[in-house]
Amino acid sequence: MGRRRVSNNGILQGSFFMDGDTACAEGAICAGCRFFGGYPITPATEIAERMARRLPQVGGTYIQMEDEIASISAVLGASWAGTRAMTATSGPGFSLMMENLGLGIITETPCVLVNVQRGGPSTGMPTLVGQGDMMQARWGSHGPYETIALSPGSPQELFDLTIRAFNLAEKYRTPVLVMTDEAVGHMTERVVIPPLEEIEYYARRKPQVPPNGYLPYRPDPDGVPPMACAGEGYRIHVTGLTHNEKGYPDTVSVETQQKLVERLIRKIRANQDDIIELREDQVEEADVVVVAYGISARTAARPVRMAREMGLKVGLLKLVTVWPFAEERIRELAPKVEGFVVPEINMGQIAQEVERCAGGQAQTILVPHAGGGLHHPNDVLEAIKRVTSPQSTSAETSP
Amino acid sequence: MGRRRVSNNGILQGSFFMDGDTACAEGAICAGCRFFGGYPITPATEIAERMARRLPQVGGTYIQMEDEIASISAVLGASWAGTRAMTATSGPGFSLMMENLGLGIITETPCVLVNVQRGGPSTGMPTLVGQGDMMQARWGSHGPYETIALSPGSPQELFDLTIRAFNLAEKYRTPVLVMTDEAVGHMTERVVIPPLEEIEYYARRKPQVPPNGYLPYRPDPDGVPPMACAGEGYRIHVTGLTHNEKGYPDTVSVETQQKLVERLIRKIRANQDDIIELREDQVEEADVVVVAYGISARTAARPVRMAREMGLKVGLLKLVTVWPFAEERIRELAPKVEGFVVPEINMGQIAQEVERCAGGQAQTILVPHAGGGLHHPNDVLEAIKRVTSPQSTSAETSP
Amino acid sequence: MVDELTDVLISKHHPMDKLLRQDRLPHIWCSGCGLGTVLTCFVSALEKLDLDMDQVVVVSGIGCTGRAAGYLNLDGFHTTHGRAIPFATGLKLGNPELKVVVISGDGDLMAIGGNHFIHAARRNMDLTVICVNNFNYGMTSGQLAPTTPTNARTSTSPYGNAEHPFNVPYLAAATGATYVARWTVLHVRRLERSIIEAMNKRGFSVVEVISPCPTYYGRWNKMGSALEQMKYYHDKSTIRHWSDPAQADIGLEGQIIVGRFVDIDKPTFCDLLQGADQ
Amino acid sequence: MVDELTDVLISKHHPMDKLLRQDRLPHIWCSGCGLGTVLTCFVSALEKLDLDMDQVVVVSGIGCTGRAAGYLNLDGFHTTHGRAIPFATGLKLGNPELKVVVISGDGDLMAIGGNHFIHAARRNMDLTVICVNNFNYGMTSGQLAPTTPTNARTSTSPYGNAEHPFNVPYLAAATGATYVARWTVLHVRRLERSIIEAMNKRGFSVVEVISPCPTYYGRWNKMGSALEQMKYYHDKSTIRHWSDPAQADIGLEGQIIVGRFVDIDKPTFCDLLQGADQ
Amino acid sequence: MKLWRKPLDQDRVVVPRGEIHLIVERCKGCQLCATYCPRDVLEMSSLFNTRGYHPPQVRNARRCLVCGLCTMLCPEFAIYVEEVGHDQ
Amino acid sequence: MKLWRKPLDQDRVVVPRGEIHLIVERCKGCQLCATYCPRDVLEMSSLFNTRGYHPPQVRNARRCLVCGLCTMLCPEFAIYVEEVGHDQ
Amino acid sequence: MSRHEIRFSGFGGQGIITAGYILGKAASLFDQRHVTLIKSYGPESRGGASSAQVIISDEEIDYPRLTQPKLLVAMSQEAYAKYIGELASGGLLLIDEDLVEPCHPRDDIQVRAVPATRIAESELGRKIVANIVMLGFVAANADVASVEGIREAALSSIPKGTEELNSQALAKGYEYGNQLQSTMHKV
Amino acid sequence: MSRHEIRFSGFGGQGIITAGYILGKAASLFDQRHVTLIKSYGPESRGGASSAQVIISDEEIDYPRLTQPKLLVAMSQEAYAKYIGELASGGLLLIDEDLVEPCHPRDDIQVRAVPATRIAESELGRKIVANIVMLGFVAANADVASVEGIREAALSSIPKGTEELNSQALAKGYEYGNQLQSTMHKV
Ligand SMILES: Cc1ncc(C[n+]2csc(CCOP(=O)(O)OP(=O)(O)O)c2C)c(N)n1
Ligand SMILES: Cc1ncc(C[n+]2csc(CCOP(=O)(O)OP(=O)(O)O)c2C)c(N)n1
Ligand code: SF4
Ligand code: SF4
Ligand code: SF4
Ligand code: SF4
Ligand code: SF4
Ligand code: SF4
Ligand SMILES: [Mg+2]
Ligand SMILES: [Mg+2]
């Protein structure tokens, strides 16, 4: 189990008929992930199972921890050992990870957390789909912070975005959340795995100075500090307390706190053009824009097509990156459109962000779904029609 | 330790010079709380310490659990045993409670969770103030749900709102969050404890039917089901899975899920007039309304006064209830005012709600604070002046 | 072939039905799973206990075993994964007159819930815990558990388990339990008796039941039919009452020591609390 | 009175400084607290160990003890409360060449972190854990810990503790640790030696250090000055190497058994993993 | 496929010491009762219940001693035996 | 109040077998060194360092055997002893 | 319509999802069409309802759930009862004749039956391959994926050492289907 | 101005917060004024900086932190250095003369010194009541709360059995303050 036994042998290439969970695991392996610390939970278990089988084949380590708290803690530890690391869970486990997600954020630890969302709250509907953890992905840990969350709509996208998640994690030194769901995780489709050399790989940014000149939390101009890991001779100190650039705790200075927190937030917000990925379909000319993500963006394609067939000018704006939120784009579109329709498998989460950014210039219609199934195309179609029909009124983000 | 040894002897009455944490504990005792399961954490520890000393004096039970997860679990259990129960924590512990907060919500378990907020994220600034967990209070657990959260600005209010929290918890059968902070918890002021008979007491709503006719999750017209507890002969089944009115799991029916989730949300939203408590000061005639809560509402009083002395028409809208959000009131005010100023000790949380509800009809200016201290009066004053000065532009909720 | 079952009287109700939620039967457990038999033994024990059934509460966590609370016509709580014991602690302290029994799986109680288990044992909290050990996580389809024997295969130890398993009776005893027993699911009479003893015990009492999960663990480890697995565990067991639980490790092969290991008296949390308050 | 210290040479640096973050000294620990001495013994042990200090990593949780990682000029991680061990597990598995030491408090490791402790022990994860037991939560000002002796007073057991405490060496041994020792903080030489042995051990090694918290625990239990408390623990201890750790309970009064209790060989998680992968 | 169809309720064929009762639709055909009956009273039938399982039937009712083992072993609360008198 | 003022650096008074060094500002006056020195070499001074603690001083340097106990016991890395030769 | 929607259904343990997987894989990887397979789970590990939705299309699949399935494969009475209603008019119902007795007569669909379980049990000695027999029967009756594709997909998806058994099962089902078709043609 | 702002400061273990608490309690419960007391904590349990902010007002206290304290009580050199800057012009600085040596000369404030710790240690035999001696000194020098109130507040806030000791401490500090005042008047 020597450290450098990280091999690229055993990496798949070609076309496969695999489910989203498996694709996620394979994406991680292609992205260079060599540590998985996890705990089984429906519908994310297949990721762990795949990793348990595959990691040893590529020189990585799988460990099933005693719970999700231990899982994320081990992932953070492994990342500080210089290994790309991830865990995967679903709602209940994600909730348990919230405290240590905060540790990952304040210590700026690159790693990937996958949440295969299921019906909630609580134990809810373990085997069925939900998108109820989207706001939790933004706000679930205590204190002020920013986060990156991606949302795939198919196994192929789950593969692709898992790779992107690892690269964003390294680039911005932060835990990145892949907010997928049961529908995608358990859906089997063709997944094409390109040759390894064609897969983007953002290598960890290392210090360019010797240990005695190194300040572990002195950022580069983009707000991200280069990262020395354990065992590299830098003698770093890493703490979850408010700390200065040296990494030393300073828990009584408002200035230290402000500098740290503002930078943690700024490094995401200031780089949002790089982080935010949107997919737009006929948005520019649209009267109505359907804003959706993940599986709901996919199911929305049908009603959008139906509406267009009815002669309505409807665009589809797919949030591949959900957090940071595509605030600017929505603000830009709001004066140009009549309304936004936001289908999500929850009772109104991202719709509230859309409504906020629409700033009253376009109405926002939530198409809620309590969970356990996908939107029926007609539900979204009705909402589209409601925007375009004259009697419709202002915002309705409540169910 | 017999069950009925719940005594009202030993309840305080009169004026005391006590800190917020102590007032919180005394409020709980006056509200009939007879179980505290907790885990120490700065700056909430004094609540636990007070309860450890006081509960045995009034026939209650204090137990220090092994962690915060155990604490909230024990609190839920105690509530189902028919006892008013609470726990108190701060950010890191609150994050750990998120999973079982969801259990409390889906099983509709009345109880009170106090979060004495400190500077975050992560371990952050344990001994200093923060308001960074406000969105977490709304969204911190997975899945769709609604929540009630109160925010006091002084020890007296912390006393009063703790009592109110217990009554709301019983009335709406849900965990109620008291979102206070280090400034209030560690602030010592005069606290007047009225005679017990003057303190409101909302008794748990019990089934009016015999066990065989009882459906534990069949709601009364207000959406809240009467609650039979363990040992009362009703042979209830309670689960965190999606369940029908009988309380039985039904994890494959979208209808059951929808009915349950919609009711859980509706019972809060439909009763928001009863739940939402606002305190308004010269809001009606105002050009600028400062929207604030907790300690920030208190510190805002000074700049509001200063602004008025300068001739500005400024109102202060204090959100005593932060969740559910005073959406209607903001929507009502938006067309009448020029702007809202929202000081909070975080990087923008409730300000986003204000901005959303303002719907572009009035600008929203966040006055952020990363944590560890209170807003300087001038910071808020400047923001007020910015609204009223002509060159100011639209929303600025980002720092 | 005939259309009739020879010499069988067809019924709609079972004598134990009054303690069951008939409207939820049949349960979700697989054919050949040991869990149903554990439940039968539990109900049978209840029938023999001199208790007011309105005061008996069952708390489960999440897992196949965790479904137990949902089939019993008692006050029952199906909590979150791993949290049955602290929830039960709250119930007991909220109303000390309740008789609180936790029935849950090895994963629930020993993996994610391990800390609550050892702390409740340490406090000698007056609870009875029935831990059904099927050496894996059945509910999530057969992953590694902290009880999985070294080298055993599961869906997350496809090359063989690299961990040493917990010895449940030893862990219980070492952390303070006052009654500890272990049986396999085929030891129905002895199991029933141990459940009765455990529930009559004042203090933290633990009964471990070794039970097959033919659908996953059995299949991964090529243990033959459900029936064969049940028999396998039973045949491998050696009854050794009061033996040192430290010796009761379970390997992938080799004997399984069963019996009553611990039965001691010690003040419970409530006893000490009462003393302290006065 | 004079302005000078008689016969003392005034220095700016200490020979151990190269392993310390001098810019963070003096540390936050109270005068008379045992924690500083534990750190001295640890540094002294490091000096005697034949290790590349760039490969030694210290992980702490939250607590007074948890600050230890912050004073050592090693790679150091001050994690969240209770999570030092799983974080350390990730570090070790992420880079098995690291020598990973966890230094944390009894509350951190045994209360909120108890589950990680027993699971890491069970897996025989190759870590060294130094658990400083001061019988309470110092950092949060002296609450009950799972090590607080029965009847002892703390700020959350003002009427006396109604719980039975954990016996750390026994818990470690019962869950699988391969090296277990206990000393009081005044046993500086022996403690240093045990730290060396533990760090040389392949596997999960645990050293418990009994240390006074004069500011809280000592004051609540009227134990006199810091110095008296240190002496008290030392005087009460009886060295009994290889004695059964089950006998090593610590009460409010009575003796404290110290010594090396366990030193066995057993394949570690990594050993077994390597076997399984092949 | 043979579904079990005609209820034999109270349709006593012999006078046994114990009567074996079955709640057919609960049975999952696990064979525990038939395998462990110490008196070989039971055997598995080849009928299917509506959920596709083979319930047990009685091979030799007279041998039943009403020991109750089948009841205790049955994971489904599907079988039980009632003592109805002694075989004289 | 008496603050310690004049550094005595390298200002050797006797020729001891061991030299006792002190980093005055680290000392928290816990008395461990003075109490446990097996040779009674140390005693607590009545001076204050800037943080209000009394550091130890040497009562009888010649007795020091350079056993290192004071160094090991000091929680503050404030005291250490260097062997400088033998007292002949 | 270039979109085929198929539901496989039965109870847990019958290999329903495997059958759907093999069909989907055949269409996806061998026939190079767009395919989405959805598995449905109940709370039970065994014995509960089991179903697989397969969508095969020449275009990208937007809505990934069945809307109007034209082919229903039912291997249990319960599954039949649950899903017969959703089968589109003009659709085809394939059943295991020993396990399903159609009792909701519909004029607007075709029904074809195969004793898949019986064939698996008595002719092949392994009840467990009933799903593969059924798959062969599907291949013979519906033009959703090439038989070669299905064979290749099957052989690459099953445990090593069972290739022969599975080939035979597939062949048996396919033959049975073809014979039935020719019989029907004859009639 | 009806708002008095006072800072007590020193190091952990000196009873700084207790002193502030007693003063606040006196003003709040005995004098029936509005009072807010804020304790500041550092990460250390002992030996770190310690401070208490007391605001006493006839009106409701909106902003609960010091803005322009007119009274600073410093019982350590560090605390003195840290807080002397915030003391308002015309303010009063009270120090323990053995622990604080004023070294930031300001013309715009008054300074009065008391050997509180020495009095506690040598005259009362318990160094620990230095804070109460200081409180007496505060009462003599500043009109923020009635002496009777302070005495009552102190006696109801200290451990049983120490009433006599604390009364004496308070009296000693008060007397010392009064004598000093009269001395000053004489000059
Ligand atoms: C926080 C959380 N993590 C994971 C799960 C998923 N989960 C459900 S049951 C279970 C394991 C059950 O194993 P065990 O307790 O042994 O019960 P069994 O099914 O074997 O009877 C897991 C991991 C969950 N529900 N919640
Ligand atoms: C999740 C969480 N809960 C609680 C705390 C508060 N907390 C900090 S340290 C501590 C206990 C420390 O006790 P111990 O580990 O014994 O260390 P000591 O201070 O005694 O050395 C607690 C409860 C926290 N930081 N995080
Ligand atoms: S999966 Fe295993 S444990 Fe669960 S019901 Fe089936 S056989 Fe029993
Ligand atoms: S509070 Fe206790 S444990 Fe913490 S530094 Fe002080 S004496 Fe040591
Ligand atoms: S009661 Fe006993 S003898 Fe009779 S059928 Fe059942 S197991 Fe056999
Ligand atoms: S034991 Fe019960 S379930 Fe099993 S075959 Fe017999 S009657 Fe059926
Ligand atoms: S080295 Fe030993 S003898 Fe010398 S001063 Fe230190 S403790 Fe005393
Ligand atoms: S042991 Fe260290 S800190 Fe304590 S008195 Fe001696 S030199 Fe000072
Ligand atoms: Mg299990
Ligand atoms: Mg401790």
Side-chain angles (χ1 to χ4, degrees), chain A residues 122-124 126, chain B residues 100 103 106-107 236-243 247-249 251, chain C residues 24 28 57-71 75-81 83-84 87 91 103-104 108 139:
Chain A
S122 197
T123 314
Chain B
N100 287 282
L103 181 66
I106 204 172
T107 56
I236 49 177
H237 182 61
V238 175
T239 177
L241 288 167
T242 296
H243 47 264
Y248 288 1
T251 60
Chain C
R24 297 208 61 212
I28 64 163
V57 187
V58 174
V59 184
S60 291
I62 303 292
C64 290
T65 316
R67 291 296 187 115
Y71 299 121
D75 287 325
F77 296 90
H78 181 234
T79 61
T80 41
H81 189 41
R83 316 308 169 189
F87 190 101
L91 270 169
I103 307 182
S104 217
D108 188 77
M139 180 57 102

Side-chain angles (χ1 to χ4, degrees), chain C residues 8 10 27 70 72 94 98 111 117 139 148 188 207 211 229 268 270:
Chain C
V8 159
I10 301 307
H27 48 60
L72 290 159
L98 298 175
F117 183 89
M139 180 57 102
T148 308
V188 279
V207 180
S211 170
Q229 289 168 48
T268 66
C270 290

Side-chain angles (χ1 to χ4, degrees), chain B residues 1 3 64-66 69 73-74 77-78 80-81 83 99-100 230-231 233 235-241 246 248-249, chain C residues 21 23-24 53-55 70 73-78 80 83 86-87 90-91 94-96 116 119 123 273-274:
Chain B
M1 249 206 40
R3 180 177 192 201
Q64 188 171 303
M65 297 300 288
E66 50 275 18
I69 302 177
S73 302
W80 279 103
T83 299
E99 190 204 359
N100 287 282
R235 309 282 179 100
I236 49 177
H237 182 61
V238 175
T239 177
L241 288 167
K246 213 158 177 177
Y248 288 1
Chain C
R21 298 190 185 267
D23 49 356
R24 297 208 61 212
M53 289 301 143
D54 282 346
Q55 300 299 315
N73 187 22
L74 299 170
D75 287 325
F77 296 90
H78 181 234
T80 41
R83 316 308 169 189
F87 190 101
L91 270 169
N95 179 357
H116 310 307
H119 282 274
R123 291 184 190 111
L273 204 58
Q274 209 156 18

